[in-house]
Amino acid sequence: MPWLGRRLQIKFSLVFLVAIAAAMLFTDAWLARFLRENLSADFPGRMQEAVRRLHHGMVLIAAALMPVVLWAALSLAAAIRDPVLKLSDVIQRLVQGDLDARANPTSNDELGELGRALNRLAERMQRDIMQLRRSDAVRKDFIANVSHELRTPLAAIKAFAETLRCGAADDSERRLEFIQEIEQNADRMTRLVDDLLELSALESGQRQPARERVDLMRVAAEVAASLKPLADRKQLALRLEPFRDIPEIAGDRGQLKQVLTNLLDNAIKFTPERGAVRIFASARDLRVTVMVQDSGTGIPEADLPRIFERFYRVDKARSRELGGTGLGLAIVKHIVEAHGGAVAVESRLGEGSVFRFTLPVAPS
C-alpha cells in the first residue's frame, strides 16, 4: 500500500510547513509591533536601520530553514511509514489466510508494542482456527462412525423383515429365528442410542456427578455379582479381592458403578473361556486406584493411546459380534475425569490387560 506512505509524508510535511509559517508570521508581527511602539522619529537613523535589517535577516533565516524543516518532516514520516507499512502488510496476509504471518518489532515504542500485540493476536487466531479444524474433523468422524454403527443393524432388520414378507412367515421355526434376530439388532441400536445420549450428556456437562461418600468395595461387589452369570457361562474365574484399608471417595455412586460395569463387562467379553478376571484396589497419597485385570488376548501397543476414544475398537468385527457399541471406554474416561480422576491401561499381547482408574479420597 504505497499510497499510505505518501499520505503520511504529505501530512507531516504540511504540518511542519504550517508550523514554521505560523512561527514566521508571529515573529514578523511581533517585531513590527515592537518597532512601531518603541522606535520614535528622533531615534537615530542608524539604529533604526540596524533593527530593520535584523528583522529582515530573521525572515530570510526562517525562509532558508524551510528546506531543512521539510527534510526533517520527510525523514520523520519515513521513520513512521516503514513500520506502519510492514504492519499493514502483515494484516493483509492474515486477512488473506496466511496465519503464519508475523510482525518483526525491533523497537520499544508504541509501534513496537503494536507489532507485538498483532503477533499475539495472530497466534491466538491460529490456535482457535486449528481447534476449529480439529473439532470439525472429530465431528465428521463421529457422524461417519454413528452412521456406520446404525447402518449394520438397520440393514439386518430390513433383510430379515423382507425375508419374512417374502414367505418365511409361514415357516414357524424360521419365523421365530428371524424375529429374534430383529429383536437383537433393535436392542443393539437401543444400546448405541443410550450410550450416545449418555456420552453427550457427560461431554456437555449436563450430568455433573453427585458428591456423596461412596464405598468402592460395596460397589465392586454389586457389579461382580450382576456380571457373574456372564463369567460363569465362559467358565471364567471372577475374583474380587477385598479392598483393605481403602478409604471412601466422594462421587456419584451410580456413575462409578457404570465405570466398573463397563470395565468388568469388557474384561469378561474379551477373555477366552476358562480364563481369569480379577478386581482389586490400592490407596496412596490420598488417592484410590481400582484395577480390573484379565487374562485375555491383550491389546497391541499401537492401539493403547487411542483405546479410550469414541468408537475405537481393536478388533471391530469381534466387538460388534459381542454387542459392543464402541463407546463404553469413552464413557468410563469422561466419568472418571469428571470426578477429578484419571484412567490408564497396561497390556501385552497374549498376556492380558489391566485397566485402572484413580480417584481422590473423600475429605475427612
Side-chain angles (χ1 to χ4, degrees):
M1 299 173 64
W3 59 270
L4 180 61
R6 289 197 295 270
R7 287 179 59 180
L8 279 174
Q9 288 181 324
I10 293 172
K11 286 182 177 180
F12 272 98
S13 301
L14 289 176
V15 168
F16 273 88
L17 288 176
V18 169
I20 196 65
M24 290 172 58
L25 291 175
F26 175 79
T27 302
D28 185 68
W30 181 82
L31 282 174
R33 182 180 177 183
F34 176 82
L35 292 175
R36 285 196 303 270
E37 292 178 354
N38 296 281
L39 296 184
S40 58
D42 58 350
F43 195 78
R46 288 184 185 178
M47 188 63 68
Q48 289 185 6
E49 184 63 24
V51 171
R52 289 190 181 91
R53 288 180 180 180
L54 175 62
H55 171 226
H56 292 303
M58 291 179 64
V59 173
L60 291 175
I61 291 173
L65 287 176
M66 289 185 66
V68 177
V69 172
L70 181 60
W71 173 82
L74 294 175
S75 299
L76 181 58
I80 297 177
R81 176 199 61 189
D82 292 342
V84 169
L85 288 178
K86 291 178 181 178
L87 291 176
S88 176
D89 180 65
V90 171
I91 293 172
Q92 289 297 319
R93 289 169 60 190
L94 290 173
V95 170
Q96 293 170 4
D98 182 6
L99 299 180
D100 294 323
R102 294 290 185 275
N104 185 27
T106 57
S107 62
N108 294 321
D109 57 8
E110 288 80 0
L111 287 174
E113 181 57 34
L114 179 61
R116 285 184 283 273
L118 180 61
N119 286 344
R120 291 193 294 269
L121 176 62
E123 291 170 1
R124 182 174 178 180
M125 288 173 56
Q126 193 171 36
R127 286 195 302 269
D128 291 346
I129 291 176
M130 290 298 294
Q131 181 62 38
L132 286 173
R133 289 174 179 172
R134 283 194 294 268
S135 299
D136 188 58
V138 170
R139 179 185 61 82
K140 290 178 180 178
D141 186 57
F142 176 74
I143 292 174
N145 283 322
V146 171
S147 300
H148 181 74
E149 294 297 328
L150 289 174
R151 185 185 298 116
T152 302
L154 282 173
I157 290 173
K158 186 174 185 295
F160 288 127
E162 289 177 350
T163 304
L164 287 171
R165 181 170 54 81
C166 293
D170 298 331
D171 186 337
S172 59
E173 183 177 345
R174 297 185 65 191
R175 180 175 66 244
L176 180 60
E177 177 186 350
F178 288 166
I179 290 174
Q180 289 176 343
E181 290 289 345
I182 290 174
E183 288 178 344
Q184 289 176 4
N185 282 280
D187 290 341
R188 179 180 168 186
M189 286 194 297
T190 301
R191 288 194 299 271
L192 176 61
V193 171
D194 288 344
D195 282 352
L196 284 171
L197 292 174
E198 175 73 14
L199 187 60
S200 176
L202 290 170
E203 290 182 337
S204 64
Q206 295 177 2
R207 280 201 59 187
Q208 292 296 326
R211 295 298 176 182
E212 55 183 325
R213 300 182 75 87
V214 179
D215 183 347
L216 288 176
M217 179 63 194
R218 184 172 298 179
V219 175
E222 293 176 4
V223 172
S226 66
L227 293 177
K228 190 175 186 304
L230 181 61
D232 290 343
R233 283 199 293 269
K234 299 181 68 175
Q235 298 180 338
L236 299 180
L238 177 58
R239 186 166 75 254
L240 172 60
E241 298 184 359
F243 291 7
R244 293 187 176 90
D245 301 322
I246 300 299
E248 294 180 332
I249 64 100
D252 190 305
R253 193 176 192 279
Q255 290 187 8
L256 295 175
K257 186 175 182 179
Q258 184 176 6
V259 167
L260 277 166
T261 300
N262 289 2
L263 292 178
L264 188 56
D265 182 64
N266 273 0
I268 293 173
K269 285 180 179 178
F270 293 98
T271 298
E273 292 185 359
R274 302 181 186 279
V277 176
R278 184 166 70 110
I279 309 170
F280 56 104
S282 65
R284 182 180 180 183
D285 298 332
L286 299 179
R287 298 184 76 83
V288 174
T289 300
V290 179
M291 288 153 278
V292 178
Q293 182 180 31
D294 64 64
S295 60
T297 56
I299 302 169
E301 185 177 355
D303 293 308
L304 290 176
R306 301 188 60 190
I307 198 67
F308 291 100
E309 292 181 10
R310 296 177 295 185
F311 294 113
Y312 191 80
R313 294 184 175 95
V314 177
D315 187 342
K316 296 179 174 59
R318 189 180 177 204
S319 178
R320 293 192 184 96
E321 180 184 344
L322 295 173
T325 63
L327 297 173
L329 291 179
I331 291 174
V332 166
K333 182 175 183 290
H334 280 284
I335 290 177
V336 171
E337 290 181 350
H339 282 76
V343 294
V345 59
E346 298 174 7
S347 184
R348 289 185 179 180
L349 284 175
E351 298 182 11
S353 306
V354 179
F355 283 85
R356 69 183 75 229
F357 63 92
T358 303
L359 298 170
V361 302
S364 57

